[in-house]
Amino acid sequence: MELYSLTIHELLDKLRTGETSSVEITASVFGRIDAVEKDVRAYITLMRETALAEAARADLAIRKDGIGALTGIPIALKDICCTNGVRTTCGSRILQNFIPPYDATVVERLRAAGAVFTGKTNMDEFAMGSSTETSFFGATRNPWDLTRIPGGSSGGSAAAVAAGECIAALGSDTGGSIRQPAALCGVVGMKPTYGRVSRFGLVAFASSLDQIGPFTKDVEDCAILMNVIAGYDPRESTSVPEEVPDYRRFLARGIEGWTVGIPKEYFIAGIDPEVEAAVRQTIRVVEGAGAKCIEVSLPHTEYCLAVYYIVAPAEACSNLARYDGVKYGFRSEEGRDLMEMYKKTRAAGFGAEVKRRIMIGTYALSSGYYDAYYKKASQVRALIKRDFDLAFAKCDVILTPTTPTPAFRIGEKTDDPMQMYLSDIFTISTNLAGIPGISVPCGFTAAGLPVGVQFLAGHFQEGRLIQFASAYEKQAHIEKRRPTL
Amino acid sequence: MEKIKISQDEVTHVAHLARLEFGEEEKEKFTSQLNDILRYMDKLGEVDTTGVEPMTHAIVQKNAFRMDVVGESLPPDLSLANAPESRGGCFQVPKVIE
């Protein structure tokens, strides 16, 4: 077994016994990158030299002080997390030369835990997309089938973990951007509760929805990364000063006697039959583990997409007003005065999907339309949140498909924005309600494409999700397949 | 004929508000796509929201106050390091006043 294909906890065990070193692990990961990156294209920027130096330091630290939470483990960062001295593009032309003068809080925390950074992964421009095709740097491919998309917006992180181009990765999730690519690439992905992980240094898309979370090969690794990144940050005023439990403690507890809600609105016409069959099978598995499944209703589910595509663009058009060609980023040389410079900079700096969302958001917030769009959407959002509150009064966790279909083909949906938006139909409600969600692999289609199942819980119940997902993972006996690259 | 939600002229106006500009062909494509998306939003009209308080944040939070003390901030050279143009410790922009 190659080192790059192992999990964080397996590698930490080997580092602890001295069986391997961080330099060997890091070299194995970069060897894998050299072999497959030309096909997968998971990264925008590789950090090979600094990674090898960090690995050497980690090996010294292990000998001197013993092992920390992530000492010597190669981790990839979605290119939306600011890294001091390393360019952070957000997949956009407008930030293609932006070099942050500080680290995001999550980067600081990973660094302090001893992580080695492999590089910055590809993503849809400003995290707006479900396929990683809107990146200015070109599309990432799905390691399971190179003619297909890896999902998005954190497609580079998901593909890098699936292909062995890092041991684990961070992504961000505004409407499914961690869970959807995790499902389509056959890895574990968690979106924590809004406020659980600091957004300081995360390039903002929709500030009331954005949340950073981990991509890992299994649930135990997810718990390990959550232990490092979760927690209050005084620099981020929406981060919550609530105590963070040790998530590893939830791993082996079992789910005997738990009640699982199956929302009837999530098993709809249009869902791929193979996806539905795989998700139905998970219901039998968790029942086999001692849980009881009941039907619950989330009656406003059919409105989630419309609410999201008002709220997210409204917040995005405000957040993206900062890209004006003055303080950082690309500037068009064509403008003769300030107003022309702004317009030409933004017209040339942003791609089509970003412009579309800026336009929707600006329209929805503009005088005369505010009540009909933004206010109405915010009211329906409250009803969506209430649906979840009522459902969680009857069950411990909710189980749904993560996506309606397996990975689709590159180019299949790029000309039809509404079709692309529909691929997030099962993940968006989580962000609107602010609750945590996790996607876990639950099987493969006949064509060999991974399928994911999503578990949801109430605010700050990440421990419960890890407990449930870990019990499922142990019982499911999902075939240990790897993409053939 | 489906209802027009946003005309090409309105697209031009919204583009100005958003400090964007489009070529003629791009504007036509955008107008048609924005109409599709906005028509989809009409769905929300089906929901009775009488008396529902709008929700603008995912979790209930009070204002996060902190003490008004001087902390560390970025030094000027680092603040200007990413600027397309700067001069004399300032960001430089094209002429604003004729």
Side-chain angles (χ1 to χ4, degrees), chain A residues 99 194 240 302-303 309 325-329 331 339 343-344 346 356 363 369 376 378-379 432, chain B residues 5 10-11 16 18-19 21 33 38 41 43-44 46-47 49 52 55 57 59 82-85 92:
Chain A
I99 298 180
Y194 184 80
V240 173
E302 63 172 305
Y303 304 106
Y309 279 99
V326 175
K327 298 177 291 300
Y328 41 74
R331 174 190 287 189
M339 179 62 87
K343 288 186 179 179
K344 291 194 184 301
R346 290 163 64 83
R356 219 162 10 242
Y363 178 77
Y369 297 105
K376 182 78 183 180
S378 303
Q379 287 175 309
L432 292 172
Chain B
K5 308 284 293 183
E10 277 180 294
V11 167
H16 169 70
R19 303 294 184 260
E21 60 182 23
Q33 287 174 337
L38 292 171
M41 306 305 184
K43 247 180 119 55
L44 295 181
E46 298 165 11
V47 187
T49 49
V52 177
M55 169 180 174
H57 256 272
I59 45 171
N82 278 287
E85 280 184 81
Q92 201 176 351

Side-chain angles (χ1 to χ4, degrees), chain B residues 2-97:
Chain B
E2 285 188 273
K3 202 177 145 215
I4 301 291
K5 308 284 293 183
I6 182 167
S7 66
Q8 276 209 38
D9 283 349
E10 277 180 294
V11 167
T12 308
H13 172 64
V14 174
H16 169 70
L17 293 177
R19 303 294 184 260
L20 288 170
E21 60 182 23
F22 300 108
E24 278 312 309
E25 205 179 304
E26 208 182 1
K27 195 186 295 175
E28 236 170 78
K29 191 172 168 187
F30 257 76
T31 308
S32 143
Q33 287 174 337
L34 291 179
N35 271 297
D36 284 348
I37 295 165
L38 292 171
R39 269 194 293 271
Y40 181 81
M41 306 305 184
D42 278 350
K43 247 180 119 55
L44 295 181
E46 298 165 11
V47 187
D48 181 6
T49 49
T50 319
V52 177
E53 209 38 53
M55 169 180 174
T56 52
H57 256 272
I59 45 171
V60 183
Q61 238 182 329
K62 301 247 162 56
N63 267 340
F65 291 112
R66 60 178 165 77
M67 295 308 288
D68 184 18
V69 290
V70 178
E72 257 183 77
S73 47
L74 280 182
D77 56 328
L78 273 184
S79 304
L80 291 166
N82 278 287
E85 280 184 81
S86 67
R87 197 169 67 188
C90 297
F91 295 105
Q92 201 176 351
V93 295
K95 196 155 72 172
V96 184
I97 303 159

Side-chain angles (χ1 to χ4, degrees), chain A residues 42-303:
Chain A
Y43 285 95
I44 292 174
T45 303
L46 284 170
M47 296 163 68
R48 188 187 304 257
E49 276 175 35
T50 49
L52 289 167
E54 284 161 5
R57 276 202 297 278
D59 286 331
L60 279 177
I62 291 170
R63 264 179 304 223
K64 200 162 142 272
D65 311 312
I67 204 155
L70 288 172
T71 312
I73 303 295
I75 291 185
L77 300 165
K78 184 179 183 180
D79 206 18
I80 195 169
C81 301
C82 283
T83 38
N84 191 357
V86 177
R87 80 170 176 157
T88 299
T89 69
C90 226
S92 182
R93 182 184 188 194
I94 214 158
L95 283 178
Q96 68 171 314
N97 296 319
F98 174 59
I99 298 180
Y102 60 88
D103 277 334
T105 297
V106 287
V107 175
E108 258 181 15
R109 281 172 169 264
L110 291 176
R111 226 187 260 290
V116 167
F117 296 119
T118 53
K120 308 294 295 287
T121 58
N122 199 14
M123 54 182 286
D124 281 297
E125 185 181 5
F126 283 102
M128 297 177 190
S130 313
S131 66
T132 315
E133 290 169 293
T134 72
S135 170
F136 175 66
F137 302 90
T140 293
R141 283 112 161 245
N142 191 312
W144 295 91
D145 177 347
L146 296 172
T147 68
R148 292 176 188 271
I149 57 97
S153 66
S154 315
S157 287
V161 174
E165 295 188 73
C166 61
I167 304 303
L170 290 190
S172 67
D173 190 317
T174 304
S177 283
I178 290 173
R179 291 157 290 149
Q180 185 255 22
L184 301 188
C185 288
V187 298
V188 173
M190 177 184 264
K191 180 205 97 74
T193 310
Y194 184 80
R196 179 91 283 184
V197 176
S198 168
R199 294 180 294 113
F200 178 81
L202 172 76
V203 179
F205 161 13
S207 304
S208 83
L209 305 166
D210 297 342
Q211 192 62 194
I212 299 171
F215 283 96
T216 55
K217 294 172 185 164
D218 67 8
V219 177
E220 182 168 353
D221 279 6
C222 178
I224 291 171
L225 272 188
M226 280 300 294
N227 275 353
V228 174
I229 63 171
Y232 174 65
D233 176 7
R235 291 176 298 189
E236 207 267 80
S237 58
T238 63
S239 86
V240 173
E242 193 157 317
E243 208 175 317
V244 180
D246 175 0
Y247 292 113
R248 292 185 81 156
R249 286 202 343 254
F250 292 87
L251 288 167
R253 287 184 179 174
I255 53 169
E256 184 79 46
W258 283 38
T259 305
V260 183
I262 314 291
K264 58 179 182 206
E265 293 84 358
Y266 281 64
F267 292 84
I268 46 163
I271 177 170
D272 181 278
E274 285 186 285
V275 169
E276 177 161 6
V279 175
R280 295 266 180 214
Q281 177 60 25
T282 65
I283 296 175
R284 288 189 282 279
V285 172
V286 298
E287 282 175 341
K292 186 178 78 173
C293 294
I294 60 164
E295 187 178 274
V296 294
S297 178
L298 299 166
H300 294 90
T301 298
E302 63 172 305
Y303 304 106

